[in-house]
């Protein structure tokens, strides 16, 4: 009998450094995008995220920090740039993130 694949170990070893950014002298932390919970997949189009999808992903990533972030003024272009930098930190656009190495 073969040993089962230990997904808990894989998740722990695959963790990446969080993505940190500053807005209005407040430092926010987003997890690496690939570390968002799988539940977000049912509410966004990962392959081609809309503005609403980007907001949903940022809300999921910021968690308890969302209220502070959302209350700060920021031009729409800033949201786009934040999203691009978060993707770059991950090393692949969110639309190219795969569920597994075999997919």
């Amino acid at each position: 009998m073969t040993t089962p694949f230990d997904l808990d170990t894989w998740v722990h070893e695959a963790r990446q450094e969080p993505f940190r950014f500053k807005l209005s002298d407040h430092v926010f932390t987003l997890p690496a995008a690939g570390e968002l919970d799988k539940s977000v997949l049912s509410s966004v189009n990962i392959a081609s995220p809309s503005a609403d999808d980007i907001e949903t992903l940022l809300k999921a990533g910021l968690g308890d920090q969302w209220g502070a972030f959302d209350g700060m003024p920021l031009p729409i272009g800033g949201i786009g740039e934040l999203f691009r930098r978060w993707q770059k930190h991950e090393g692949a656009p969110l639309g190219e993130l795969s569920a597994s190495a075999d997919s």
Side-chain angles (χ1 to χ4, degrees):
M1 182 173 197
T2 62
T3 304
F5 170 62
D6 188 342
L7 188 54
D8 291 324
T9 297
W10 181 89
V11 167
H12 178 72
E13 291 175 354
R15 288 241 153 93
Q16 295 186 11
E17 287 293 315
F19 176 70
R20 296 178 50 188
F21 66 96
K22 186 171 94 170
L23 177 63
S24 299
D25 293 325
H26 186 98
V27 176
F28 295 94
T29 304
L30 284 162
E35 292 190 18
L36 291 177
D37 188 78
K38 65 180 176 53
S39 63
V40 76
L41 292 175
S42 64
S43 59
V44 297
N45 178 351
I46 293 292
S48 181
S50 68
D52 287 339
D53 293 336
I54 290 170
E55 182 175 333
T56 297
L57 291 164
L58 288 172
K59 279 182 184 178
L62 287 169
D64 293 342
Q65 303 168 91
W66 175 255
F69 174 79
D70 192 40
M72 294 178 182
L74 179 66
I76 292 173
I79 295 286
E81 186 60 25
L82 172 60
F83 191 67
R84 282 187 288 281
R85 299 282 179 126
W86 188 26
Q87 288 176 308
K88 185 176 178 182
H89 174 76
E90 179 72 25
L94 289 177
E96 295 179 14
L97 292 176
S98 59
S100 71
D102 297 326
S103 59

